[in-house]
Amino acid sequence: MRINKYIAEAGICSRRKADELINNGNVKVNGITLKEPGYDVKEGDVVSVNGNVINPVEEKVYLALNKPLGYITSIKDQFDRPTVMDLVTDVEGRLFPVGRLDYNTTGLLIMTNDGDWAQKVAHPKHGQGKTYIAKINGFLTEGKLNRLRKGIDIGGFVTSPAEVEVMRELPKQTEVKITIHEGRYRQVRKMFKAVGTPVLELERVAIGDVKLGRLAVGGYRKLTKKEIESLSK
């Protein structure tokens, strides 16, 4: 098995990221630093990444997690803040998050140990719609709604047309449902800031056909076969 696939099937990362690890000297085979990304792993080879011996994962795991406020979407955090990994300690296999949610954003996060599948899901060409419920400061005029719906400059990048629906207006705030088709860093927050209505609270409630539903905060469930296939189409 090609070394990058071996690393991906061990749940470490995608094949592309595995090639980067190899080029950076983080991968050893039988105690020798690997310098050839095209190496084929043979029976009896001992492969290690960052000093840890790895083995391909036999059973693939695909989860939908309801990320709480104040958790980092990362395997580790340099400041020892809680990460989403702390919520899945009872799951066998080395999981990692697919995509990200900000520290201050809650809601649906996909986790898996299938590196190849994760790479397909995260690839921009799939354009999976990501739906959020945002509580914003202020109100949205028709002009502001049209700007969001047509695509808006958020600083060096113009977003694709978004689906935006005002759900309810509060005394000084508005609850809005928005679906975007990219995954730029803090994109939804930047979009609302660009029209002068900064986000106060943000929750992701759907990715494509996968819905958050009534999943408890901090809880998770297995994705159905249909959901798994739909995310990578």
Side-chain angles (χ1 to χ4, degrees):
M1 183 187 296
R2 193 177 175 91
I3 184 67
N4 60 0
K5 183 177 181 182
Y6 188 95
I7 294 171
E9 293 201 358
I12 304 301
C13 58
S14 68
R15 292 192 197 188
R16 183 180 300 175
K17 291 293 184 182
D19 286 336
E20 291 180 14
L21 289 172
I22 294 166
N23 291 330
N24 292 333
N26 300 110
V27 178
K28 291 184 178 182
V29 178
N30 302 324
I32 301 173
T33 300
L34 189 65
K35 297 181 180 179
E36 177 52 60
Y39 180 83
D40 285 321
V41 180
K42 303 173 183 63
E43 186 175 351
D45 280 347
V46 177
V47 179
S48 63
V49 176
N50 295 323
N52 299 311
V53 175
I54 65 170
N55 293 288
V57 177
E58 294 184 0
E59 182 180 359
K60 303 299 183 185
V61 178
Y62 309 89
L63 302 178
L65 171 76
N66 188 350
K67 176 192 166 301
L69 193 69
Y71 277 72
I72 301 296
T73 305
S74 178
I75 295 176
K76 292 182 180 179
D77 180 59
Q78 60 178 327
F79 302 112
D80 291 326
R81 292 171 294 183
T83 76
V84 292
M85 305 308 298
D86 297 325
L87 303 170
V88 291
T89 54
D90 57 342
V91 179
E92 292 185 9
R94 181 166 176 164
L95 299 176
F96 55 89
V98 182
R100 287 184 168 277
L101 280 180
D102 298 339
Y103 181 78
N104 292 322
T105 301
T106 64
L108 182 61
L109 182 69
I110 304 299
M111 301 190 72
T112 187
N113 58 4
D114 187 339
D116 286 344
W117 180 83
Q119 186 172 346
K120 290 180 183 178
V121 173
H123 198 285
K125 73 177 183 181
H126 291 292
Q128 294 284 356
K130 301 175 183 69
T131 302
Y132 298 79
I133 301 297
K135 183 179 288 186
I136 61 174
N137 187 25
F139 305 97
L140 290 173
T141 62
E142 279 300 315
K144 292 179 178 181
L145 281 169
N146 287 334
R147 290 176 65 194
L148 293 168
R149 288 168 176 163
K150 290 180 179 179
I152 189 167
D153 190 334
I154 57 174
F157 175 76
V158 178
T159 64
S160 297
E163 300 156 37
V164 189
E165 175 188 353
V166 174
M167 300 185 69
R168 62 172 177 158
E169 292 186 344
L170 304 170
K172 295 183 179 180
Q173 302 163 359
T174 307
E175 192 170 271
V176 185
K177 182 178 181 181
I178 180 170
T179 300
I180 62 173
H181 298 276
E182 309 102 334
R184 295 289 178 130
Y185 178 66
R186 297 176 67 85
Q187 180 174 331
V188 173
R189 294 179 184 275
K190 288 179 179 179
M191 290 173 71
F192 282 110
K193 184 178 180 180
V195 295
T197 54
V199 170
L200 302 174
E201 297 176 16
L202 188 63
E203 178 183 36
R204 184 158 66 191
V205 295
I207 302 173
D209 293 332
V210 181
K211 306 293 191 294
L212 181 64
R214 297 184 178 181
L215 188 61
V217 174
Y220 61 86
R221 66 171 177 84
K222 289 184 178 181
L223 295 181
T224 66
K225 183 178 179 180
K226 184 177 180 181
E227 288 174 328
I228 294 168
E229 291 174 349
S230 72
L231 284 176
S232 58
K233 279 184 180 179

